[in-house]
Amino acid sequence: MTVFLHNRRYRLLTLATFISMLGSTLFNIVFVIYARGMPNAKLAVSIASVVATIPFLLDIIAGYLADEANNHYRSMVGVKFFQAALFLLLSGLIAFRPSWWVFTVLLLINIVSDFAGSFSSFVSLAVIKDVVTADDLAEARGFESGVGSTISLVGGLVGAGLIAALHYNYVLFGLLNAASFIAAFLILWVARQQFRQLRSSQFQHHAAFLGVRREIRHFFTTSVKNFKLLKTFSTVTGFMVAFSIVNFIGSGQSTLLNLSYIQEKRLLFGNFGYTVALIDMVESVGMILGSFTPMKRVTWLSIPGNLTLVIGVSGVIGCRTATSWSPVS
C-alpha cells in the first residue's frame, strides 16, 4: 500500500490494471449466466466453463509474445484499446437472439480478450520493474496480487447482482465492460509521457516480423531452451508438475459443479448466477487468506502434506455433491 500511495507511476499502472480486471471478472460470471439461457443449457455451460481455462493454457504463448514486445508500455495501452473494441463488438452481437453461432462468436471474443489480458499482465511486469525500486518490488507485487484476488472475490457477486438489476440486459452490460477498458486505456494514454524514457520502452528485439514459420520455430526454440534451464532446478520442476496436477483437478471440478447446479436444484443458493458467484467468492476468500497468512504459521505442514490435503478436500466436495443427487421421496 505504501508503494501505491507514494509512487505515482506505479499507482497509474495498477489503477488501469484493476479497472480492466474488474471488467473481465464481471463478464466472466455473466457469460456463464448467459450460457444458462441457451437451448441446451448443460452443453452451453460446459463449453463456457471449459473454454474459460483456455487463456491459462495459452499463458506460455502470451509470456513469449510479451518478451518479444519492443515497447512494453505501448503494448499495454494497445491491449486496453483492443479489449474495448472487442467488447463493443460483443455488445452488438449479444443483441441477437441466443443461438449457437452467436454463442460461438461471443465465446471466441471472450477467449481473445482474456488472452490479451494475460499478455498485458506479462508486459506490465517489465514496466513495474522499471518504476519501482528493487526494495519495493516484492511489496508492489504483493499489493497487486492481493487487490487482484479481492476483485475476483467481489467481481462475481457484483456481476451477478448487476446483470439482475439490469433485468438481464446483456447489451448494456457489455457496454459497461467496454467502458471499463476505455477508462483503463485513457489512464495509460494520458500518462504516456511519464513512461517514455523507461528501459522497457526502449527495448529492441528483432526489428521485423520473421514470417509465420520462422516465428513459430523461434517460439519452440526459445521454449525448449527455457525448459532445459528449468530442468536443472529439479525441486522447482517437481513442484511445478505437482501444482499443475492439482490445478488440473480443480479446473475440472469447477466445470462439474456448474453442471450439477443445473441438474440438481437443491444445490442452488437463490438462483444459478448467485450460486456460481458465491462459490467463486468462497474460493477467492481462501486465496486471500492464504496469501496473507504468515509463512511461519504453515511451515509445520510439508508441501506433499499440503497437496494431499487439497486433493482430499476436493474428494470430500465430490462425494458430498454426489450424495445430493438422490431423488426426493
Side-chain angles (χ1 to χ4, degrees):
M1 179 63 76
T2 303
V3 182
F4 179 80
L5 294 176
H6 295 91
N7 189 320
R8 175 179 171 79
R9 291 191 293 184
Y10 173 74
R11 185 163 61 248
L12 291 171
L13 286 174
T14 51
L15 281 175
T17 299
F18 296 153
I19 291 173
S20 58
M21 187 184 299
L22 179 60
S24 297
T25 303
L26 289 176
F27 186 78
N28 284 339
I29 184 67
V30 169
F31 190 68
V32 176
I33 298 174
Y34 175 83
R36 178 69 176 84
M38 291 290 294
N40 190 334
K42 288 195 291 185
L43 178 60
V45 171
S46 299
I47 295 174
S49 300
V50 172
V51 172
T53 64
I54 290 180
F56 296 103
L57 299 176
L58 299 178
D59 269 359
I60 186 172
I61 299 178
Y64 167 79
L65 294 176
D67 287 339
E68 296 293 299
N70 288 334
N71 188 312
H72 293 81
Y73 185 80
R74 187 185 301 163
S75 297
M76 290 181 62
V77 177
V79 164
K80 304 306 179 190
F81 183 83
F82 176 66
Q83 289 178 296
L86 283 177
F87 273 90
L88 288 175
L89 175 61
L90 179 145
S91 300
L93 290 173
I94 209 168
F96 289 92
R97 183 177 180 178
S99 63
W100 282 108
W101 78 266
V102 173
F103 179 77
T104 301
V105 176
L106 295 178
L107 201 61
L108 291 174
I109 291 176
N110 201 37
I111 292 173
V112 173
S113 178
D114 285 346
F115 177 78
S118 296
F119 169 79
S120 179
S121 67
F122 285 126
V123 295
S124 70
L125 295 176
V127 183
I128 290 175
K129 186 177 179 180
D130 283 346
V131 301
V132 175
T133 64
D135 292 338
D136 293 333
L137 187 58
E139 179 184 341
R141 294 293 295 150
F143 174 77
E144 190 176 4
S145 176
V147 175
S149 297
T150 303
I151 290 175
S152 298
L153 166 65
V154 302
L157 289 176
V158 171
L162 184 57
I163 192 63
L166 295 175
H167 303 289
Y168 297 91
N169 187 332
Y170 294 102
V171 175
L172 181 56
F173 195 90
L175 292 174
L176 291 176
N177 278 269
S180 70
F181 290 111
I182 291 174
F185 164 76
L186 291 175
I187 291 174
L188 297 178
W189 175 259
V190 171
R192 65 189 184 281
Q193 296 297 335
Q194 301 181 39
F195 298 85
R196 186 178 295 276
Q197 301 303 321
L198 297 180
R199 187 175 64 174
S200 56
S201 298
Q202 310 297 325
F203 179 73
Q204 293 296 322
H205 211 276
H206 53 72
F209 182 65
L210 300 176
V212 175
R213 290 185 178 180
R214 293 182 63 186
E215 288 287 353
I216 294 176
R217 188 181 301 114
H218 186 264
F219 164 73
F220 281 107
T221 300
T222 303
S223 299
V224 169
K225 290 181 179 178
N226 290 335
F227 278 117
K228 287 182 178 179
L229 177 62
L230 181 63
K231 287 176 64 176
T232 62
F233 302 94
S234 58
T235 302
V236 176
T237 304
F239 289 160
M240 184 186 70
V241 172
F243 295 150
S244 297
I245 294 173
V246 171
N247 288 334
F248 178 78
I249 295 173
S251 62
Q253 178 177 272
S254 177
T255 301
L256 293 174
L257 281 175
N258 287 341
L259 293 175
S260 300
Y261 303 146
I262 296 175
Q263 186 71 23
E264 185 55 61
K265 304 300 182 184
R266 288 179 297 178
L267 295 175
L268 295 179
F269 295 91
N271 58 46
F272 177 78
Y274 280 113
T275 301
V276 175
L278 181 62
I279 298 301
D280 287 344
M281 182 196 73
V282 172
E283 292 180 356
S284 297
V285 168
M287 293 174 62
I288 293 173
L289 292 177
S291 298
F292 288 100
T293 300
M295 288 298 296
K296 62 182 181 179
R297 301 271 183 172
V298 295
T299 51
W300 61 271
L301 184 62
S302 65
I303 291 180
N306 200 322
L307 292 173
T308 302
L309 178 62
V310 171
I311 295 174
V313 171
S314 298
V316 171
I317 294 174
C319 292
R320 183 65 187 92
T321 303
T323 58
S324 300
W325 280 67
S326 56
V328 180
S329 56

